[in-house]
Amino acid sequence: AQTVTQSQPEMSVQEAETVTLSCTYDTSESDYYLFWYKQPPSRQMILVIRQEAYKQQNATENRFSVNFQKAAKSFSLKISDSQLGDAAMYFCAYRGSQGGSEKLVFGKGTKLTVNP
Amino acid sequence: NAGVTQTPKFQVLKTGQSMTLQCAQDMNHEYMSWYRQDPGMGLRLIHYSVGAGITDQGEVPNGYNVSRSTTEDFPLRLLSAAPSQTSVYFCASSPSRGQPQHFGDGTRLSIL
């Protein structure tokens, strides 16, 4: 079964600086999808970024980018120019592409604090 | 578009009671899922569906039932509530496996 590991339960960053959140996963599939979700105190689950495993290019969305290392099974999230509104729980998630892999598997999350 | 709508937002039950958490989506998505979120555990999959009439178990299915008679609705039933089922429950949907899931706002359920 696929597993997702976020090794940093908590992280903090100064406003305007850059922070990187780590995520590793375990799978035997060659094609799959990876996601980062943000959950602010409002409890909403908000998609931050999505990566398709067959694409070499790292995904970017404004101040958010990923470092996708397929061989190492690593999918870290970089937040540039951190803002107070970035404070939230961040979840890394994996979804397979084969039958029976429709499930979205989440890591346990990283709580990000942004200090003014 | 309303997206994914969950009702109720909050609920308190007594041990042994049964109830149904409602989930509806208006995006014509084939994939729908139920998760529970507990402190320090992330989101864990309870049940999921890949289309009307098709459901399957996730990681933590015990004590819960689902059915999918229409594309729009995917209710989650607690058969006999237990304190261990106190949690926040999320419903989600997506048009296909590779697309991101859209989440409802969650239901906070407390069982006394």
Side-chain angles (χ1 to χ4, degrees), chain A:
Chain A
Q2 291 83 8
T3 57
V4 177
T5 302
Q6 293 180 249
S7 60
Q8 306 151 318
E10 297 188 22
M11 292 281 286
S12 63
V13 63
Q14 291 298 124
E15 195 175 3
E17 296 192 346
T18 296
V19 64
T20 298
L21 308 184
S22 301
C23 173
T24 59
Y25 56 93
D26 184 27
T27 183
S28 58
E29 295 181 295
S30 59
D31 194 16
Y32 46 86
Y33 307 91
L34 296 164
F35 306 89
W36 277 98
Y37 282 89
K38 170 185 177 181
Q39 187 180 42
S42 66
R43 198 171 76 190
Q44 286 182 299
M45 291 291 290
I46 302 165
L47 177 71
V48 175
I49 204 161
R50 166 180 173 263
Q51 175 79 42
E52 298 174 36
Y54 66 86
K55 289 188 175 179
Q56 299 282 352
Q57 189 173 5
N58 289 328
T60 62
E61 285 289 339
N62 301 316
R63 297 182 296 107
F64 298 88
S65 61
V66 298
N67 183 6
F68 173 49
Q69 301 288 330
K70 190 172 184 178
K73 297 180 183 175
S74 171
F75 183 60
S76 60
L77 175 70
K78 185 171 82 172
I79 306 174
S80 304
D81 186 24
S82 298
Q83 301 175 359
L84 295 177
D86 295 334
M89 285 290 293
Y90 286 82
F91 293 98
C92 178
Y94 169 100
R95 198 172 198 183
S97 63
Q98 299 176 9
S101 299
E102 293 85 3
K103 307 169 229 185
L104 192 63
V105 179
F106 284 87
K108 293 185 178 181
T110 296
K111 181 179 181 181
L112 179 66
T113 301
V114 181
N115 300 311

Side-chain angles (χ1 to χ4, degrees), chain B residues 32-101:
Chain B
M32 295 189 74
S33 304
W34 276 102
Y35 298 88
R36 60 178 288 173
Q37 183 177 25
D38 302 295
M41 297 295 293
L43 279 78
R44 293 182 293 170
L45 183 66
I46 304 171
H47 286 285
Y48 67 100
S49 169
V50 299
I54 306 170
T55 64
D56 205 348
Q57 295 181 352
E59 182 184 357
V60 288
N62 292 340
Y64 307 95
N65 271 359
V66 293
S67 60
R68 184 101 180 267
S69 56
T70 67
T71 298
E72 294 78 20
D73 299 302
F74 191 44
L76 177 72
R77 298 181 185 84
L78 278 71
L79 309 174
S80 177
S84 61
Q85 293 177 305
T86 293
S87 188
V88 177
Y89 291 84
F90 286 95
C91 179
S93 73
S94 68
S96 65
R97 190 180 291 121
Q99 295 301 314
Q101 293 196 340

Side-chain angles (χ1 to χ4, degrees), chain B residues 7 12-13 18-19 36-37 46-47 66 90 103 105 109 111:
Chain B
T7 55
V12 178
L13 292 178
S18 63
M19 82 160 293
R36 60 178 288 173
Q37 183 177 25
I46 304 171
H47 286 285
V66 293
F90 286 95
F103 284 82
D105 290 338
L109 182 62
I111 299 165

